[in-house]
Amino acid sequence: MQRKCLLLIFSALVLFSACDNKSPHKPSGPEKRITILYTNDEHGWMQASENQSGAAGLMALWKEQEGYTEDGPFLILSGGDMWTGPAISTWFKGESMADVLNAMHYDAAAIGNHEFDFKIPELQARIVQSEFPLLAANIREKSNGLIPDYIQPYTIIQVDSVDIGIIGLSTITTPYSTFPTHVEDYDFIPYVTALEETVPQVKSAGAKIIIVLGHLCEPEMRQLVDPAKQLGISLITGGHCWELVSDVIDGIGLIKTSAYLEYYGRVDMYFDAATGELQDIEIEIKPNQTELRDAQVSAVVSYWEREMDATLSEVIGYTQSGIERWTAQMENMVMDSWLLTFPEADAALSNAGGIRQDIPPGDITLGTIVGLLPFENLIMELNMSGAEIQAWAGNFIHSGLRGKNPYFFADSTTIINTQIYKVLTTDYLYSRVDIPFQSINPQPYSTAVHYRQPVIDWIKSLNTSATNPLDNYLDYENRK
């Protein structure tokens, strides 16, 4: 018997779909139930926002609505990408978010690509700090083919006398979805290869139920259903791509809860009380929306808010309407600030993924911009031919360029294919092997300027206020 329940929430419409089966579970004999509470891609969003109630609200929901108790039949799991995001997490390289997840009693987490953003020593520090294991079975050292000694491939947790094996999987896109040099010593082997190697170890260690705790996109999750069936895996979780997934296919559960703690998943697994065999699985996704706040988690968040305010509360500007992340004015602001800082450059190219959140209406602080541009990226200057600019500009957000196929410079000057120009980009993009910047310019010039600093400098220079908002200075033209 299989049963699934999917709750979809569209933030703009707040539209709820009916659950597939609302009838109560009817066991065929004596049974026990274990409940998994699940999130992924938290990205440091411990504070409440207009879209979610923060970590303290989520913990309160778990206690009040889901009946969570620390000694009850519960597992709390994360699909990874826990740290990089708002300044309250990014500025402290994830230390603050690890504190919050400890207070929320997480039991295990997958290692996502952004766990590597602050380099290996910081990841190792977070692993030591976290009161739960960070898991990945598919990371191998290039030098010897072994799993790095600071990473666990799996863990076994006993819940209500049932030994549950949890195997971590990191996305195989990690070599280019974090800073490439941070993971240059590692291979990220195929998921099935890692599972075929690890599942027998987990079974040998006594696990009765096996969960894949994956930082995986939905298509990858679904591709793993058949191998999971053959290997005896009961649940596959996801992350990385911000999707809502709640499904049961051939007895295999699939769960993913978008990002930013806006949703959480509840997975109920029903077992035969005598044999420990899984009999049924129910899955539901719910919004993190409540007026309640857990006192212990609130205290941890408040501590880190004070720490953040001590260094990042300086007001540098004001916006009347705010600036949404996926807009021309946001991209133009970031990119144009680079050319204002380096006026000798002809153009600037970057990836939209380096811009991570909206700027809300009101005061703009240093912390706002740290959350907006959270990565440790530096601006580099490349020599590129006009032909190379034409070939690659369409892949990026840009400044100094107009048109499309062909492009021309912002002042209407024609780009000459054989001429060499100065182009700004980030050291992150330069390091990616799937982008040919290294072959285009083997010896680039590093400005040593952080990619967020020009934005800070430009906003400060305008002396914006409620009567002179930043909105007046933005370029709303779509350059794509």
Side-chain angles (χ1 to χ4, degrees):
M1 176 173 57
Q2 300 173 12
R3 189 176 292 110
K4 62 180 179 180
C5 178
L6 172 59
L7 175 61
L8 295 176
I9 304 94
F10 297 93
S11 58
L13 300 177
V14 196
L15 176 65
F16 295 85
S17 70
C19 294
D20 292 339
N21 288 292
K22 294 298 290 184
S23 59
H25 178 81
K26 297 179 180 179
S28 57
E31 70 170 7
K32 59 180 65 178
R33 184 192 72 198
I34 293 173
T35 298
I36 296 167
L37 301 173
Y38 182 74
T39 62
N40 57 269
D41 295 83
E42 299 85 7
H43 282 289
W45 282 84
M46 64 185 75
Q47 296 170 292
S49 70
E50 64 176 284
N51 296 322
Q52 47 94 334
S53 299
L58 184 57
M59 193 75 233
L61 277 176
W62 287 349
K63 289 180 177 179
E64 298 297 322
Q65 185 167 299
E66 309 302 343
Y68 172 79
T69 59
E70 191 174 355
D71 58 353
F74 291 90
L75 278 176
I76 299 181
L77 304 177
S78 167
D81 275 8
M82 293 170 278
W83 329 129
T84 305
I88 195 171
S89 181
T90 292
W91 192 251
F92 304 104
K93 296 180 169 59
E95 180 182 358
S96 53
M97 193 61 180
D99 267 359
V100 169
L101 298 178
N102 284 340
M104 296 177 74
H105 309 298
Y106 273 74
D107 292 293
I111 295 178
N113 51 299
H114 287 299
E115 264 65 75
F116 294 97
D117 283 350
F118 305 116
K119 301 183 179 181
I120 300 301
E122 290 295 339
L123 173 55
Q124 292 172 323
R126 298 292 78 77
I127 288 173
V128 171
Q129 177 191 358
S130 299
E131 296 169 2
F132 53 90
L134 274 65
L135 307 175
N138 66 318
I139 301 176
R140 298 289 187 275
E141 293 184 355
K142 289 182 178 179
S143 61
N144 56 27
L146 300 177
I147 296 174
D149 59 10
Y150 64 91
I151 292 176
Q152 284 183 232
Y154 68 89
T155 188
I156 296 178
I157 301 175
Q158 188 174 87
V159 182
D160 198 13
S161 301
V162 178
D163 287 333
I164 300 179
I166 305 171
I167 301 172
L169 290 178
S170 294
T171 173
I172 57 175
T173 71
T174 299
Y176 54 87
S177 54
T178 188
F179 203 106
T181 59
H182 294 180
V183 293
E184 62 185 355
D185 294 331
Y186 303 132
D187 288 320
F188 291 76
I189 68 172
Y191 308 128
V192 174
T193 302
L195 291 176
E196 288 175 343
E197 176 183 315
T198 309
V199 167
Q201 300 174 32
V202 173
K203 290 181 176 178
S204 179
K208 300 297 183 183
I209 300 297
I210 300 175
I211 295 170
V212 170
L213 190 56
H215 194 67
L216 313 172
C217 294
E218 180 178 2
E220 296 172 309
M221 297 168 67
R222 295 188 182 279
Q223 289 166 9
L224 285 178
V225 168
D226 286 343
K229 185 78 172 178
Q230 296 173 15
L231 291 167
I233 293 165
S234 301
L235 178 68
I236 301 169
T237 80
H240 193 49
C241 302
W242 300 347
E243 305 150 320
L244 291 173
V245 179
S246 176
D247 208 349
V248 180
I249 303 174
D250 286 341
I252 312 298
L254 306 178
I255 180 72
K256 189 199 301 200
T257 59
S258 189
Y260 293 179
L261 291 183
E262 293 182 1
Y263 307 96
Y264 70 94
R266 174 175 174 136
V267 181
D268 289 310
M269 306 180 80
Y270 296 89
F271 300 87
D272 183 285
T275 66
E277 180 182 353
L278 180 66
Q279 294 181 322
D280 200 3
I281 185 168
E282 298 176 349
I283 301 176
E284 188 174 7
I285 294 175
K286 302 182 181 182
N288 177 17
Q289 295 284 352
T290 181
E291 297 299 320
L292 300 171
R293 296 293 185 269
D294 179 79
Q296 180 184 1
V297 177
S298 289
V300 176
V301 173
S302 294
Y303 169 81
W304 286 106
E305 286 175 332
R306 293 190 296 271
E307 291 293 301
M308 177 182 65
D309 289 344
T311 53
L312 297 175
S313 60
E314 178 189 349
V315 176
I316 63 171
Y318 182 90
T319 172
Q320 182 175 1
S321 302
I323 312 172
E324 294 183 4
R325 175 185 179 188
W326 304 113
T327 58
Q329 56 267 35
M330 175 70 83
E331 295 177 355
N332 295 343
M333 178 186 70
V334 173
M335 300 308 297
D336 288 354
S337 73
W338 293 10
L339 287 187
L340 288 171
T341 301
F342 301 99
E344 74 282 0
D346 298 292
L349 305 175
S350 190
N351 60 313
I355 301 171
R356 301 299 290 187
Q357 62 187 58
D358 300 343
I359 294 179
D363 287 338
I364 302 170
T365 67
L366 286 175
T368 307
I369 307 304
V370 170
L372 176 73
L373 305 168
F375 301 111
E376 294 305 308
N377 295 341
L378 301 179
I379 297 173
M380 304 188 77
E381 183 181 277
L382 310 182
N383 291 324
M384 297 181 69
S385 70
E388 289 163 340
I389 292 174
Q390 295 288 3
W392 284 95
N395 295 280
F396 304 105
I397 59 175
H398 52 75
S399 182
L401 303 175
R402 294 291 189 274
K404 186 173 185 180
N405 298 323
Y407 290 89
F408 53 89
F409 289 121
D411 63 0
S412 299
T413 303
T414 299
I415 298 174
I416 300 172
N417 284 347
T418 57
Q419 188 166 323
I420 300 299
Y421 300 97
K422 293 181 178 180
V423 178
L424 303 175
T425 190
T426 62
D427 54 353
Y428 161 70
L429 288 179
Y430 184 83
S431 298
R432 284 178 53 164
V433 297
D434 59 328
I435 299 171
F437 287 166
Q438 294 179 46
S439 60
I440 289 173
N441 189 173
Q443 294 183 314
Y445 169 66
S446 175
T447 68
V449 173
H450 196 288
Y451 85 130
R452 77 171 74 103
Q453 191 59 47
V455 181
I456 294 170
D457 294 341
W458 181 69
I459 294 175
K460 281 185 173 182
S461 74
L462 299 173
N463 295 315
T464 56
S465 64
T467 57
N468 179 39
L470 181 64
D471 313 56
N472 295 338
Y473 301 90
L474 299 175
D475 180 357
Y476 294 80
E477 178 187 353
N478 189 339
R479 301 176 188 171
K480 293 179 179 178

